[in-house]
Amino acid sequence: MTTPDTTARLPAAIEPPTAVACAHTGWAVLQVSGVDAVTFLHGQLSSDVNSLRIGEGQYWSYNSPHGRMLANGALWRSAAGEAEPVIVMLLAADLGGTVRRRLSL
């Protein structure tokens, strides 16, 4: 039995500094911005958003008042909002609308 040589099909993935980008429809991206964005998300998510510096990311979860996890994902602080913080949240596409509505209440 021989192992197929997959490196011939994936040169962009193994030859730096080339980046590989592809569409993935299973994810939603929410952007939270404004003067109070960090403080607001710190109170809503199970993540230490206050300690998040520009260019850094961390995992988060959004829980019900009873502690049941409603959604989770990754978030990062974008350099785009140096005057006003911009926090970008990545989560499952099927939960994006629900989380957006709950956070906007």
Side-chain angles (χ1 to χ4, degrees), residues 22-97:
C22 59
H24 192 301
T25 57
W27 299 105
V29 177
L30 300 179
Q31 181 174 306
V32 182
S33 60
V35 178
D36 296 331
V38 172
T39 305
F40 172 73
L41 288 177
H42 186 77
Q44 296 292 314
L45 306 177
S46 67
S47 179
D48 187 7
V49 184
N50 284 334
S51 70
L52 197 60
R53 292 185 298 241
I54 292 174
E56 289 185 341
Q58 56 188 229
Y59 293 109
W60 60 272
S61 69
Y62 185 55
N63 304 313
S64 73
H66 299 290
R68 176 176 277 159
M69 186 170 62
L70 304 173
N72 68 339
L75 60 90
W76 65 94
R77 187 169 180 169
S78 172
E82 292 187 28
E84 290 187 6
V86 175
I87 306 295
V88 181
M89 303 172 65
L90 177 71
L91 66 154
D94 60 337
L95 297 174

